[in-house]
Short mmCIF file of all heavy atoms in Angstrom, two decimals:
data_model
loop_
_atom_site.label_atom_id
_atom_site.label_comp_id
_atom_site.label_asym_id
_atom_site.label_seq_id
_atom_site.Cartn_x
_atom_site.Cartn_y
_atom_site.Cartn_z
N MET A 205 18.98 3.49 2.63
CA MET A 205 19.43 4.63 1.76
C MET A 205 20.41 4.16 0.76
O MET A 205 20.43 4.65 -0.37
CB MET A 205 19.98 5.74 2.63
CG MET A 205 18.92 6.53 3.39
SD MET A 205 17.57 7.09 2.38
CE MET A 205 18.38 8.12 1.23
N SER A 206 21.26 3.16 1.05
CA SER A 206 22.17 2.63 0.11
C SER A 206 21.46 1.94 -1.03
O SER A 206 21.84 1.99 -2.18
CB SER A 206 23.23 1.70 0.73
OG SER A 206 22.62 0.52 1.15
N VAL A 207 20.32 1.32 -0.71
CA VAL A 207 19.45 0.70 -1.75
C VAL A 207 18.84 1.79 -2.64
O VAL A 207 18.84 1.73 -3.86
CB VAL A 207 18.36 -0.17 -1.15
CG1 VAL A 207 17.29 -0.56 -2.17
CG2 VAL A 207 18.94 -1.42 -0.48
N ALA A 208 18.35 2.88 -2.01
CA ALA A 208 17.74 3.97 -2.79
C ALA A 208 18.75 4.61 -3.69
O ALA A 208 18.50 4.87 -4.86
CB ALA A 208 17.13 4.99 -1.80
N VAL A 209 19.96 4.84 -3.18
CA VAL A 209 21.00 5.48 -4.01
C VAL A 209 21.43 4.51 -5.13
O VAL A 209 21.56 4.88 -6.29
CB VAL A 209 22.19 5.93 -3.12
CG1 VAL A 209 23.36 6.37 -3.96
CG2 VAL A 209 21.74 7.07 -2.18
N GLY A 210 21.69 3.27 -4.74
CA GLY A 210 22.14 2.27 -5.73
C GLY A 210 21.13 2.02 -6.84
O GLY A 210 21.55 1.84 -7.99
N ALA A 211 19.86 2.04 -6.48
CA ALA A 211 18.86 1.81 -7.50
C ALA A 211 18.72 2.99 -8.49
O ALA A 211 18.27 2.80 -9.59
CB ALA A 211 17.48 1.56 -6.85
N SER A 212 19.20 4.13 -8.08
CA SER A 212 19.08 5.32 -8.95
C SER A 212 20.33 5.52 -9.78
O SER A 212 20.47 6.54 -10.45
CB SER A 212 18.82 6.56 -8.12
OG SER A 212 19.89 6.83 -7.27
N LEU A 213 21.25 4.48 -9.82
CA LEU A 213 22.50 4.67 -10.53
C LEU A 213 22.76 3.64 -11.66
O LEU A 213 23.81 3.02 -11.70
CB LEU A 213 23.69 4.61 -9.55
CG LEU A 213 23.65 5.64 -8.42
CD1 LEU A 213 24.79 5.35 -7.43
CD2 LEU A 213 23.80 7.07 -8.99
N PRO A 214 21.80 3.39 -12.52
CA PRO A 214 22.06 2.43 -13.58
C PRO A 214 22.80 3.06 -14.76
O PRO A 214 22.24 3.29 -15.83
CB PRO A 214 20.64 1.97 -13.98
CG PRO A 214 19.82 3.18 -13.76
CD PRO A 214 20.40 3.92 -12.56
N PHE A 215 24.07 3.29 -14.57
CA PHE A 215 24.85 3.97 -15.57
C PHE A 215 25.61 3.02 -16.55
O PHE A 215 26.16 3.43 -17.52
CB PHE A 215 25.93 4.86 -14.89
CG PHE A 215 25.37 5.90 -14.04
CD1 PHE A 215 26.04 6.22 -12.83
CD2 PHE A 215 24.26 6.66 -14.37
CE1 PHE A 215 25.59 7.18 -11.97
CE2 PHE A 215 23.76 7.62 -13.53
CZ PHE A 215 24.42 7.90 -12.37
N LEU A 216 25.63 1.75 -16.23
CA LEU A 216 26.47 0.79 -16.96
C LEU A 216 25.87 0.15 -18.19
O LEU A 216 26.57 -0.38 -19.04
CB LEU A 216 27.03 -0.31 -16.01
CG LEU A 216 27.79 0.20 -14.82
CD1 LEU A 216 28.19 -0.99 -13.97
CD2 LEU A 216 29.02 0.95 -15.26
N THR A 217 24.50 0.12 -18.25
CA THR A 217 23.84 -0.45 -19.40
C THR A 217 22.70 0.42 -19.86
O THR A 217 22.13 1.16 -19.08
CB THR A 217 23.27 -1.85 -19.03
OG1 THR A 217 22.26 -1.72 -18.03
CG2 THR A 217 24.34 -2.81 -18.54
N PRO A 218 22.31 0.27 -21.10
CA PRO A 218 21.16 1.06 -21.58
C PRO A 218 19.83 0.51 -21.04
O PRO A 218 18.82 1.24 -21.08
CB PRO A 218 21.22 0.94 -23.07
CG PRO A 218 22.03 -0.28 -23.32
CD PRO A 218 22.97 -0.41 -22.19
N ILE A 219 19.79 -0.69 -20.57
CA ILE A 219 18.51 -1.24 -20.10
C ILE A 219 18.19 -1.00 -18.65
O ILE A 219 17.12 -1.31 -18.17
CB ILE A 219 18.44 -2.79 -20.36
CG1 ILE A 219 19.55 -3.52 -19.60
CG2 ILE A 219 18.47 -3.08 -21.83
CD1 ILE A 219 19.44 -5.04 -19.64
N GLY A 220 19.12 -0.33 -17.94
CA GLY A 220 18.91 -0.10 -16.50
C GLY A 220 17.87 0.95 -16.24
O GLY A 220 17.17 0.87 -15.22
N HIS A 221 17.71 1.92 -17.12
CA HIS A 221 16.74 2.95 -16.89
C HIS A 221 16.16 3.39 -18.25
O HIS A 221 16.82 3.33 -19.24
CB HIS A 221 17.38 4.15 -16.21
CG HIS A 221 16.36 5.12 -15.68
ND1 HIS A 221 15.92 6.18 -16.39
CD2 HIS A 221 15.70 5.18 -14.47
CE1 HIS A 221 15.02 6.86 -15.69
NE2 HIS A 221 14.88 6.28 -14.54
N GLN A 222 14.91 3.82 -18.18
CA GLN A 222 14.21 4.23 -19.41
C GLN A 222 14.93 5.31 -20.19
O GLN A 222 15.01 5.29 -21.41
CB GLN A 222 12.79 4.73 -19.09
CG GLN A 222 11.97 3.76 -18.33
CD GLN A 222 12.10 3.85 -16.85
OE1 GLN A 222 13.18 3.96 -16.32
NE2 GLN A 222 10.97 3.78 -16.12
N SER A 223 15.48 6.26 -19.49
CA SER A 223 16.16 7.38 -20.18
C SER A 223 17.39 6.92 -20.91
O SER A 223 17.74 7.44 -21.97
CB SER A 223 16.45 8.52 -19.19
OG SER A 223 17.31 8.04 -18.17
N ASN A 224 18.10 5.90 -20.37
CA ASN A 224 19.24 5.36 -21.05
C ASN A 224 18.85 4.72 -22.39
O ASN A 224 19.52 4.94 -23.37
CB ASN A 224 19.94 4.27 -20.21
CG ASN A 224 20.57 4.79 -18.95
OD1 ASN A 224 20.53 6.02 -18.70
ND2 ASN A 224 21.14 3.93 -18.18
N VAL A 225 17.74 4.03 -22.38
CA VAL A 225 17.27 3.37 -23.57
C VAL A 225 16.78 4.43 -24.60
O VAL A 225 17.02 4.31 -25.81
CB VAL A 225 16.09 2.37 -23.27
CG1 VAL A 225 15.56 1.75 -24.52
CG2 VAL A 225 16.63 1.32 -22.35
N LEU A 226 16.10 5.43 -24.13
CA LEU A 226 15.52 6.43 -25.02
C LEU A 226 16.57 7.21 -25.76
O LEU A 226 16.33 7.65 -26.91
CB LEU A 226 14.59 7.40 -24.24
CG LEU A 226 13.33 6.73 -23.70
CD1 LEU A 226 12.56 7.70 -22.82
CD2 LEU A 226 12.45 6.21 -24.82
N VAL A 227 17.72 7.46 -25.17
CA VAL A 227 18.76 8.23 -25.86
C VAL A 227 19.69 7.35 -26.67
O VAL A 227 20.50 7.91 -27.47
CB VAL A 227 19.57 9.13 -24.85
CG1 VAL A 227 18.72 10.11 -24.15
CG2 VAL A 227 20.37 8.26 -23.92
N MET A 228 19.62 6.06 -26.53
CA MET A 228 20.54 5.17 -27.21
C MET A 228 20.44 5.30 -28.73
O MET A 228 21.44 5.49 -29.41
CB MET A 228 20.27 3.74 -26.75
CG MET A 228 21.34 2.76 -27.30
SD MET A 228 21.02 1.15 -26.63
CE MET A 228 22.35 0.24 -27.39
N GLY A 229 19.26 5.12 -29.27
CA GLY A 229 19.04 5.20 -30.69
C GLY A 229 19.31 6.58 -31.28
O GLY A 229 20.21 6.72 -32.18
N PRO A 230 18.65 7.60 -30.79
CA PRO A 230 18.86 8.96 -31.36
C PRO A 230 20.31 9.47 -31.21
O PRO A 230 20.84 10.20 -32.01
CB PRO A 230 17.89 9.89 -30.62
CG PRO A 230 16.86 8.91 -30.11
CD PRO A 230 17.53 7.62 -29.88
N GLY A 231 20.96 9.07 -30.08
CA GLY A 231 22.34 9.51 -29.84
C GLY A 231 23.36 8.66 -30.57
O GLY A 231 24.55 9.04 -30.59
N GLY A 232 22.95 7.56 -31.15
CA GLY A 232 23.90 6.72 -31.86
C GLY A 232 24.85 5.94 -30.92
O GLY A 232 25.96 5.59 -31.29
N TYR A 233 24.38 5.72 -29.69
CA TYR A 233 25.24 5.02 -28.75
C TYR A 233 25.17 3.54 -28.95
O TYR A 233 24.16 2.98 -29.42
CB TYR A 233 24.80 5.30 -27.28
CG TYR A 233 24.85 6.80 -26.92
CD1 TYR A 233 23.72 7.48 -26.47
CD2 TYR A 233 26.06 7.46 -27.00
CE1 TYR A 233 23.79 8.81 -26.18
CE2 TYR A 233 26.08 8.80 -26.66
CZ TYR A 233 24.98 9.47 -26.26
OH TYR A 233 25.04 10.79 -25.94
N ARG A 234 26.26 2.85 -28.56
CA ARG A 234 26.27 1.39 -28.56
C ARG A 234 26.26 0.93 -27.11
O ARG A 234 26.52 1.73 -26.18
CB ARG A 234 27.53 0.89 -29.26
CG ARG A 234 27.62 1.30 -30.72
CD ARG A 234 28.92 0.80 -31.37
NE ARG A 234 30.04 0.98 -30.52
CZ ARG A 234 30.99 1.86 -30.70
NH1 ARG A 234 30.96 2.66 -31.73
NH2 ARG A 234 32.00 1.95 -29.88
N PHE A 235 26.00 -0.30 -26.89
CA PHE A 235 25.92 -0.88 -25.57
C PHE A 235 27.16 -0.59 -24.75
O PHE A 235 27.12 -0.18 -23.60
CB PHE A 235 25.65 -2.40 -25.62
CG PHE A 235 25.13 -3.01 -24.36
CD1 PHE A 235 23.76 -3.08 -24.15
CD2 PHE A 235 25.99 -3.45 -23.39
CE1 PHE A 235 23.26 -3.63 -22.98
CE2 PHE A 235 25.48 -4.04 -22.25
CZ PHE A 235 24.12 -4.11 -22.02
N GLN A 236 28.36 -0.77 -25.34
CA GLN A 236 29.62 -0.63 -24.62
C GLN A 236 29.91 0.87 -24.32
O GLN A 236 30.72 1.16 -23.44
CB GLN A 236 30.77 -1.28 -25.41
CG GLN A 236 31.05 -0.70 -26.70
CD GLN A 236 30.33 -1.45 -27.87
OE1 GLN A 236 29.32 -2.15 -27.63
NE2 GLN A 236 30.81 -1.31 -29.06
#
């Protein structure tokens, strides 16, 4: 369960999850 929870928490980079990458350009976000 810690693996399942940990895998669902890619909040630190835009490449961790598809949704992070998808909002990066339109939202004007930078990597940091």
Side-chain angles (χ1 to χ4, degrees):
M205 286 310 299
S206 70
V207 168
V209 170
S212 66
L213 302 173
F215 301 140
L216 301 178
T217 65
I219 60 173
H221 194 269
Q222 304 89 316
S223 59
N224 293 359
V225 177
L226 292 174
V227 299
M228 186 175 182
Y233 299 123
R234 297 180 317 252
F235 198 90
Q236 63 267 21

